[in-house]
């Protein structure tokens, strides 16, 4: 447990250290390059801001109106058989479809249940270990104009489901 | 996609709140949500800019190029069709390394280049080859060393240990990738004859 935490916390500083040393070794203007990239980051955040506002309002409304609880209550008996936490169902369903709405839902979950609680951890790990599958498939197949995709959606969604289930199991061990 | 999902959310929740729920609660939630979106974005700014800067440094060095060596045995197993195509192998491994490092902006153009090279070798232009299918599913598996966005969100919500999720994410993402690869291998066999 302590080791896991140590590895988790070591990863980011270690990568930054290696990259900076590597940049120096190859005689690059490390700080200028850093500034270029950081400026680009500004654009990324500004670009997603309007999307986030729209989605936060929609998801906040889903929860405060009580309809989310209604849906969760309906699904509850079904999901409790497989021991799937019902609160994570909206996230699991939207994750492959839309990147920004899953960010909004995951944030909503973490805000309501806490970031370091089992539910908050599960939502975080699901977000970190899966991708906006539908979008990726669309981009990669349309660039070569291919229509016959041989059911790769099925394979990709299998991977997503396994990723989500593993996230839930792993968090039960580590939290 | 959001052109469908977003209106459904709005119509469902707003009409439910008007007829069955608490309209005052909805009102305060609307304004609170916009505020939360701004707060999250401001908090995301720091982490995203920092990481993007670091990755810009990485992309200026030859580190991606160097790391592709580690992938050689994996690539050979995953893409048996491409054993005699070192150029495509290289493009695929550069895309994978960029993904692993979290260089989203660099990974997509590299990936599309690899797709185009594979399409040139494709005898049946309207159908994915085995290699293309494998390549796309690996790209949907999100193998990433540092899940920066989630860490930034956790940080913005005052987590005691925002990076605690890194190791669990590795486990989940590796399990997902392995299952994805097995699923593709099966699909390749199953769909071999229906051309």
């Amino acid at each position: 447990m302590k080791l896991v935490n140590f590895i988790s916390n070591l990863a980011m500083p270690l990568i930054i250290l290696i990259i900076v040393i590597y940049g120096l070794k190859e005689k690059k203007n490390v700080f200028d390059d850093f500034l270029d990239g950081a400026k680009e980051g500004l654009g990324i955040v500004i670009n997603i801001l309007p999307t986030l506002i729209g989605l936060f309002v929609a998801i906040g409304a889903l929860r405060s109106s009580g309809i989310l609880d209604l849906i969760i209550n309906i699904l509850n008996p079904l999901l409790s058989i497989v021991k799937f936490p019902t609160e994570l169902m909206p996230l699991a369903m939207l994750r492959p479809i839309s990147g920004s709405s899953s960010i909004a839902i995951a944030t909503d979950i973490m805000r309501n249940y806490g970031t370091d609680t089992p539910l908050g951890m599960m939502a975080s790990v699901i977000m970190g270990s899966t991708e906006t599958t539908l979008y990726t498939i669309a981009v990669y197949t349309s660039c070569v104009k291919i229509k016959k995709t041989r059911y790769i959606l099925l394979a990709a969604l299998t991977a997503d489901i396994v990723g989500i289930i593993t996230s839930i199991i792993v968090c039960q061990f580590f939290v | 996609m959001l052109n469908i999902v977003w209106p459904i959310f709005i119509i469902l929740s707003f009409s439910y709140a008007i007829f069955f729920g608490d309209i005052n609660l909805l009102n305060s939630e609307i304004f609170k949500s916009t505020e939360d979106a701004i707060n999250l974005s401001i908090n995301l700014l720091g982490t995203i800019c920092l990481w993007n800067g670091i990755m810009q440094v990485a992309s200026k060095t030859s580190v991606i190029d160097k790391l592709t060596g580690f992938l050689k045995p994996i690539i050979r197993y995953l893409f048996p069709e491409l054993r005699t195509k070192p150029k495509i192998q290289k493009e695929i491994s550069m895309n994978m390394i960029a993904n692993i490092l979290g260089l989203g902006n660099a990974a997509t153009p590299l990936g599309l280049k690899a797709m185009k090279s594979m399409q040139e070798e494709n005898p049946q232009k309207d159908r994915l080859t085995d290699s293309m299918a494998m390549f796309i599913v690996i790209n949907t598996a999100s193998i990433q060393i540092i899940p920066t966005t989630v860490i930034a969100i956790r940080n913005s919500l005052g987590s005691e240990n925002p990076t605690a999720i890194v190791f669990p994410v590795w486990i989940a993402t590796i399990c997902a990738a392995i299952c994805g690869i097995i699923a593709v291998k099966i699909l390749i066999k199953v769909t071999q004859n229906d051309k």
Side-chain angles (χ1 to χ4, degrees):
Chain A
M1 182 62 216
K2 268 198 171 144
L3 181 72
V4 169
N5 241 322
F6 179 70
I7 297 171
S8 290
N9 293 333
L10 183 71
M12 197 157 163
L14 191 68
I15 289 176
I16 295 178
L17 182 68
I18 292 171
I19 288 172
V20 170
I21 291 174
Y22 215 89
L24 279 180
K25 207 186 104 206
E26 294 191 359
K27 302 201 169 54
K28 306 285 182 204
N29 294 323
V30 179
F31 196 66
D32 286 343
D33 290 342
F34 172 79
L35 290 182
D36 284 345
K39 256 178 233 156
E40 225 178 89
L42 213 66
I44 295 174
V45 177
I46 288 172
N47 273 329
I48 63 165
L49 175 59
T51 320
L52 285 182
I53 293 177
L55 288 166
F56 268 56
V57 170
I59 286 156
L62 273 183
R63 193 167 32 73
S64 69
S65 68
I67 195 163
L68 198 63
D69 289 332
L70 182 77
I71 296 170
I72 287 176
N73 283 336
I74 293 170
L75 290 173
N76 213 357
L78 199 75
L79 292 169
S80 61
I81 300 171
V82 287
K83 292 190 176 155
F84 190 94
T86 335
E87 296 86 346
L88 297 177
M89 203 55 205
L91 178 64
M93 282 165 70
L94 274 173
R95 179 65 188 129
I97 300 170
S98 159
S100 38
S101 27
S102 47
I103 289 183
I105 291 193
T107 311
D108 197 68
I109 292 172
M110 283 186 248
R111 204 176 45 208
N112 279 296
Y113 301 101
T115 48
D116 304 311
T117 59
L119 276 176
M121 289 290 280
M122 287 170 189
S124 309
V125 177
I126 290 174
M127 284 304 289
S129 62
T130 49
E131 180 60 70
T132 319
T133 302
L134 259 69
Y135 171 78
T136 311
I137 292 180
V139 170
Y140 279 85
T141 52
S142 64
C143 88
V144 287
K145 300 188 182 67
I146 283 183
K147 290 262 155 62
K148 289 184 187 165
T149 56
R150 301 173 70 184
Y151 313 108
I152 50 163
L153 181 61
L154 205 65
L157 287 180
T158 309
D160 282 344
I161 292 168
V162 171
I164 290 169
I165 293 171
T166 321
S167 303
I168 292 169
I169 296 171
V170 168
C171 287
Q172 281 167 348
F173 276 106
F174 288 128
V175 180
Chain B
M1 187 53 77
L2 284 177
N3 285 325
I4 304 165
V5 174
W6 193 70
I8 292 177
F9 280 7
I10 296 282
I11 292 166
L12 269 181
S13 52
F14 279 53
S15 46
Y16 189 85
I18 289 168
F19 292 114
F20 306 107
D22 183 346
I23 198 77
N24 288 326
L25 193 67
L26 178 68
N27 266 322
S28 64
E29 183 65 32
I30 291 173
F31 294 108
K32 202 177 150 287
S33 299
T34 54
E35 212 181 290
D36 286 342
I38 301 288
N39 284 336
L40 177 67
S41 304
I42 289 172
N43 285 308
L44 280 178
L45 260 179
T47 318
I48 302 250
C49 287
L50 169 74
W51 197 247
N52 230 51
I54 293 295
M55 285 307 152
Q56 177 72 13
V57 177
S59 64
K60 291 274 169 175
T61 67
S62 59
V63 74
I64 297 183
D65 213 47
K66 291 263 163 62
L67 288 172
T68 55
F70 290 107
L71 290 180
K72 265 197 183 131
I74 304 170
I75 299 266
R76 230 175 285 161
Y77 167 74
L78 292 177
F79 305 96
E81 275 180 334
L82 304 176
R83 284 225 168 104
T84 55
K85 306 273 187 309
K87 188 185 143 256
I88 304 182
Q89 283 187 2
K90 182 91 188 173
E91 286 172 0
I92 290 177
S93 32
M94 296 209 32
N95 161 271
M96 282 166 76
I97 292 289
N99 268 326
I100 290 170
L101 291 177
L103 293 157
N105 290 339
T108 310
L110 285 168
L112 297 182
K113 211 168 125 205
M115 281 300 286
K116 283 185 180 136
S117 307
M118 283 187 270
Q119 177 73 339
E120 279 170 25
E121 310 282 336
N122 187 357
Q124 210 182 331
K125 298 288 179 205
D126 63 337
R127 181 174 183 272
L128 290 177
T129 61
D130 297 355
S131 309
M132 290 165 134
M134 181 60 79
F135 183 62
I136 294 176
V137 172
I138 288 173
N139 260 286
T140 66
S142 161
I143 307 166
Q144 202 181 4
I145 301 189
I146 311 285
T148 346
T149 313
V150 196
I151 294 175
I153 295 173
R154 292 171 58 76
N155 185 41
S156 81
L157 294 172
S159 165
E160 276 173 28
N161 195 348
T163 52
I165 54 151
V166 172
F167 193 74
V169 164
W170 291 347
I171 298 176
T173 207
I174 287 169
C175 289
I178 291 172
C179 289
I181 289 166
I182 295 171
V184 177
K185 289 265 179 197
I186 294 170
L187 283 180
I188 286 173
K189 284 236 164 72
V190 173
T191 59
Q192 215 157 36
N193 298 319
D194 59 67
K195 296 200 172 174

